[in-house]
Amino acid sequence: RETWPDVPHVAVPDTAFHAASMAPVAYSYALPADLTEELGVRRYGFHGTSYAYVSKKLAAALGKPPASLNAIICHLGSGASMCAVENGKSVDTTMGLTPLEGLVMGTRAGDVDAGVLAYLQRNGYDAAAVDALLNKKSGLLGLSGVASDMRAVKKAADAGDARAQLARDVFVERVRKYLGAYAVKLGGRVDAIAFCGGIGEGDADARMRICADLDGLLGVAVDPTRNAFAVDGAVADVSAPHASCKVFVVPTDEELEIATQTAEAAGVAPRAPVPAPRIQTLPKDANALPPVGPALLVDGGGATAPAELGLLFAALPMHGRLGFFRPVADPDDPKLLLVRDVFEMTEEPVEAMLGATPAEAAAMTAAGDGEKLVEQIVAKYVAYAAGRDFVVVSRPSDSNGANFELSADIAAAIQAPVVWVHGLYSEGSTQFQADHEADELTGGELAEIATAKAVLDEKAVRLAGVVVANLPADSYHAAVRDQLASLDVTPVALLPHDDSFEKVTVAELAKSIGAEVLYGAEAVKNKRVEEITISTLDVANLLGHLDDKPTNNQLVIVDSRRADIILAVSAVSRSKTIAGLLLTGPGLSKDVAAVLSDLQNHGGFPLPPILMAPGDMSTYEVAHKVTTTTPQMLSTSSAKICAARSLFEDHLEPRFRAALGAAPDANSVITPKLFQHKLFTKARADPRRVVLPEGEDPRVVAAAGELLERGLVQLTILGDPAVVAANAEAAGVAYQLASAEVIDPRACDEALFDELAAAGVFLYPEIAVFDLNDAAE
């Protein structure tokens, strides 16, 4: 003050957030009152600046005023504590007189029976030694014997270190205990649980374990994918879509909060609202691509599922609610079910995720009603996309790029840019695109991309870019980039070859032929089948045959009555990677089944996957079905799903990633189809009575039929009923016009015109008839 007498001096206590609002029932120890009065022995709490900052950010993320926020905030780091926030204020916290109370920390013990202190002093520890023990040598360090850093403790625990595992278990258990206590403190009215601090922000496994099994208590459910991909530095909602109590990762900034409070207290800055949280967006640069917007349509000349998964994984940290929509598909469409399961899009029926079934689409196309097909798809899409931040729209099912005109029409209607996928395996066949060993595209491949771009250009749809797969690894792909630039096409991702997508797994075979998995259900998911052996040999010859094979991933097809082969192959699976056994015939005998079960359950015997084919299929039919099964991706295909995620995580172009997370263009215009959809929706909600005076004109009759078929109006048609009926029959709209009212003015009672005149509408019969005849001419 002597040096800078005119400069405001501000202290921002770390305890202030709690001291201002905690009630005596929360801060009092059950000790003699004079200790509180004379020595100030009471609970103060710490991390107050962190909780002040996070509570405001969390309220903004939830769209609530800070003063109405009810939350449990977990500041988990080397120093760890929790805070119960009610109506924006602290009502309880885990730290006490000192930061030692409460949770397990890096080197602090947290809650300890006070009797331990007296016990230690009776055993030779003086006050300084006890203080050092509890503050410097306990916590994660003391429990694990490894380190005070949770990252090192987790690494040791994952490697099997029992003490490190116990340290993590105790850490998680202590947090969960206070979660339950604070849920009661808040009367069960908890808007969200927020994690901050080094462990809170960076340890996805700890978050998942802390929030496990809380669905029934608080309505808490964590989305494993969102949780795993929460990125440091951004507010992230890691809740499952159905969760009523949200879970957020909110990076704290205590220094900014201290600076803000200082500026406010000193009167050098006005109190400003907390800015909206940044949800994983990336800054623009001079070469930034246009924002992708709320929807992206994906099509291509080969498989698109890996690309669609990869793009959804890339969008996950940037957008709150993701969606996936197929314009044409059946409810049991494998790709729909795959994405629905992987991203837990289960809050709505699968039918809401598709526009039309293939049967419906075929019928409309055959009848020349392609425009109505697009309108139906748009209507279903608009209903599904409402409330979602980003939707990947997959191409119509089974099109394999062949029905790209329909994709382009849909993209134009919903104003979605398109990503073209090139070079992945051909969907629905066993043909795979060759590796681009020369690290460049062929003339035919460039022509395919140019054709797709021309179709989109004609319909005023933007080609957002191209995914090219099966390129050599560890290369910048300069030639491919130059080739795409010559077409004025942006690379979205240039992917190295990955044969994960080209191999059929045992699970895919089981689904294809309808086989029952008898043993090895877990191993079925990712076991790749390299070769197939149909066993008709004796055991010795079969084993010799398997030894001579260049690959160990053999699927052995054998009659279920060959107990010798079944047991022998099961035995060699201990030393060889046998993909599995596929049994045909009547089924396992009770004796063989008992031996296998005994080996699996009591002998620690790692049985290979053993499947039973449907009993009505011969060995030949089974073998034919197996050899013609094409690779696919199931929700259980974790290896393929991880490969898709990793490829796009590592190789998505930075400019496209920025465009994927950028805010939509504020100047975007509504497409004619979307405008028509909104207009039709409003009309159907309240159909008005419309009178068509030129009812004998065939064009009017045809238009009337279309209006009625769409359910847009109630119609009164003026004209000779016989003429109207004949025109309706000729136009093919007789069924629709059955609901219309047809009135012939020539046959009207003249009293009607007197009533009109009384109402101020002067129309006489001869004039009405003249007008009608004039219109008909």
Side-chain angles (χ1 to χ4, degrees), residues 585-738:
L588 283 176
S589 70
K590 291 183 180 179
D591 291 340
V592 174
V595 171
L596 290 172
S597 296
D598 188 60
L599 289 171
Q600 177 174 262
N601 298 330
H602 305 295
F605 198 89
L607 293 178
I610 301 178
L611 287 67
M612 186 70 225
D616 58 350
M617 293 180 71
S618 68
T619 299
Y620 171 79
E621 290 171 326
V622 171
H624 177 72
K625 188 70 174 176
V626 166
T627 55
T628 56
T629 295
T630 57
Q632 54 185 298
M633 294 182 73
L634 308 176
S635 58
T636 56
S637 305
S638 56
K640 293 183 179 182
I641 293 168
C642 286
R645 182 189 66 200
S646 297
L647 281 172
F648 278 79
E649 191 175 86
D650 296 340
H651 301 285
L652 191 67
E653 293 286 307
R655 288 203 307 153
F656 187 83
R657 189 185 297 275
L660 197 60
D665 187 351
N667 298 318
S668 60
V669 297
I670 187 169
T671 67
K673 285 293 182 188
L674 284 177
F675 175 76
Q676 176 181 283
H677 167 74
K678 290 179 185 246
L679 195 64
F680 284 2
T681 300
K682 187 174 182 180
R684 290 188 185 104
D686 184 20
R688 301 299 179 90
R689 172 69 63 179
V690 175
V691 178
L692 299 179
E694 302 175 8
E696 295 177 4
D697 187 329
R699 295 168 300 176
V700 172
V701 171
E706 186 168 348
L707 288 171
L708 291 169
E709 184 178 23
R710 295 177 186 274
L712 301 176
V713 294
Q714 302 177 52
L715 281 185
T716 296
I717 302 174
L718 302 184
D720 184 337
V723 175
V724 172
N727 286 337
E729 191 68 37
V733 295
Y735 174 77
Q736 289 86 346
L737 256 68

Side-chain angles (χ1 to χ4, degrees), residues 22 34 42 54 101 271 287 295 302 343 368 380 435 446 556 594 597 673 680 694 761-762 772:
M22 274 174 58
D34 56 356
R42 53 157 283 181
V54 170
E101 186 180 350
R271 182 177 295 272
N287 298 314
F343 292 93
K380 289 287 294 290
D435 295 353
L446 291 171
V556 178
S597 296
K673 285 293 182 188
F680 284 2
E694 302 175 8
V761 178
F762 297 96
L772 182 65

